Amino acid sequence: MMINSRVILAAILFSAWPMSGHSAVSGWVQYKEEDKSMRSAGDQIFDMQPSEIEASKKAALSGETDAAMRLGRFYLNMKKESPDQGVRWLEIAYQNGSKDAMYLLGLNLFRSKNINSRLRGVYWLKRASTECGEPDRMNSLNFIKLNQKSVSRLEKFMKYEPSFNKYFPEDEGFSIKPNRIKYFERAALAGAPGAAMHLGKFHLITKDPHSEIGVRWLEVAFENGSSEAMYALGSNLIDFEGDDARLRAIYWLRRAENESDESTEPFRSLARSMLRAYNIE
């Protein structure tokens, strides 16, 4: 799929959906001495046979956290020529419910050469420093302390208007003025759910209904705390081609259907209706 030049900044951070494309991000790092458990165990514990890889991918896309984490470690340690896939599976691990992915995402993203990736790295490191258990919480705090100058410089880019936390009204057909796109992107990478949700719908509604970039921004919206993103992801991915996209669509629709937060209505009902419409039990 050709990517419009106006969205290159977003494309730099994200791998294609599904996991068939090669990310433009360079500078990922593998697990090193920062993680003591991995250092003592050695890389071989992350090795996987081809049959295991395929089974784990299906399991991870269907919502299994351990499978996604194992794939992330495999690609970062054993398949070092494809580290972008390792980071991608760590993102899916977090989306599936693993807090263990946050520190490792922050560590790898922070050491990228791309500023957007580094911004997201700071976001994950900050969250890991308060939400993770030991040793990841302390590892994150120590890493931030050791890299305080760089973190402080990046944090200046992460300041955004409070309005970006809220979803923007459906005016002008979900459009975003070209000179405002970078502000939406930076706010989304810094943690604003409304900015990420608006970017997702901007790409999917005004650009291409099968926009991989649009789906990725919806994922960022979920990672930033948007419950609406679950239904939005499922309802968009269900029309994508390929088994991977369908597995992930079913995961998101089921998750939206079972969300206990009453504030997510009418999305629970919509997810339930869509599952029935597609004969998904």
Side-chain angles (χ1 to χ4, degrees):
M1 178 183 299
M2 295 299 294
I3 300 175
N4 190 292
S5 60
R6 294 193 301 174
V7 298
I8 289 298
L9 282 176
I12 288 173
L13 178 60
F14 308 131
S15 301
W17 180 270
M19 267 61 65
S20 58
H22 181 76
S23 173
V25 176
S26 61
W28 299 118
V29 294
Q30 286 70 49
Y31 299 93
K32 294 185 179 178
E33 69 250 23
E34 288 87 354
D35 192 320
K36 294 181 180 179
S37 63
M38 292 182 184
R39 182 173 65 224
S40 61
D43 280 352
Q44 293 301 321
I45 64 172
F46 304 118
D47 200 6
M48 300 176 72
Q49 299 301 312
S51 59
E52 293 179 286
I53 295 171
E54 292 307 310
S56 294
K57 285 181 178 180
K58 290 182 179 180
L61 293 173
S62 298
E64 288 192 18
T65 299
D66 290 345
M69 284 294 293
R70 191 178 180 194
L71 284 164
R73 291 164 175 162
F74 169 72
Y75 281 106
L76 287 169
N77 287 271
M78 304 306 297
K79 289 287 187 180
K80 296 179 181 180
E81 71 275 10
S82 303
D84 55 307
Q85 291 196 50
V87 170
R88 180 69 180 125
W89 286 111
L90 289 179
E91 290 168 342
I92 290 174
Y94 172 79
Q95 294 165 16
N96 290 356
S98 173
K99 287 190 175 182
D100 293 337
M102 289 193 286
Y103 166 65
L104 298 171
L105 278 168
L107 180 67
N108 282 276
L109 284 163
F110 182 85
R111 289 185 170 177
S112 169
K113 296 178 181 179
N114 176 263
I115 188 171
N116 279 356
S117 298
R118 289 170 64 80
L119 287 172
R120 198 62 176 169
V122 172
Y123 169 79
W124 286 120
L125 287 167
K126 289 283 190 177
R127 283 193 60 182
S129 70
T130 59
E131 297 180 31
C132 285
E134 302 298 346
D136 286 350
R137 187 184 69 83
M138 189 56 64
N139 284 339
S140 298
L141 287 170
N142 289 338
F143 188 86
I144 290 170
K145 184 176 181 180
L146 288 170
N147 296 274
Q148 190 57 59
K149 289 185 178 180
S150 295
V151 171
S152 296
R153 285 196 297 268
L154 288 165
E155 283 180 323
K156 293 180 180 178
F157 288 97
M158 298 177 75
K159 294 180 180 179
Y160 55 85
E161 302 169 16
S163 61
F164 280 111
N165 284 318
K166 300 178 180 180
Y167 180 57
F168 294 79
E170 301 178 12
D171 57 348
E172 301 180 14
F174 295 97
S175 66
I176 303 175
K177 294 179 179 179
N179 64 342
R180 292 281 290 167
I181 290 177
K182 66 178 180 180
Y183 296 107
F184 277 80
E185 291 175 346
R186 289 285 168 84
L189 295 174
M197 177 64 72
H198 199 72
L199 281 164
K201 293 191 173 183
F202 165 68
H203 287 289
L204 288 161
I205 294 174
T206 70
K207 297 291 183 181
D208 179 2
H210 300 107
S211 169
E212 296 168 351
I213 298 298
V215 168
R216 187 62 189 101
W217 282 120
L218 292 181
E219 289 181 331
V220 172
F222 170 80
E223 294 166 4
N224 290 355
S226 170
S227 296
E228 178 189 348
M230 290 184 285
Y231 170 71
L233 280 161
S235 61
N236 280 280
L237 281 170
I238 199 69
D239 291 323
F240 277 47
E241 293 184 0
D243 293 338
D244 287 355
R246 185 174 177 81
L247 282 174
R248 203 60 181 162
I250 293 171
Y251 167 76
W252 285 119
L253 288 172
R254 284 177 173 162
R255 183 145 179 202
E257 178 190 24
N258 295 319
E259 183 66 21
S260 59
D261 186 353
E262 293 183 0
S263 67
T264 59
E265 287 289 3
F267 304 114
R268 286 187 296 170
S269 297
L270 290 169
R272 189 176 303 114
S273 297
M274 182 162 283
L275 286 167
R276 289 173 180 170
Y278 281 84
N279 296 316
I280 299 169
E281 297 181 0

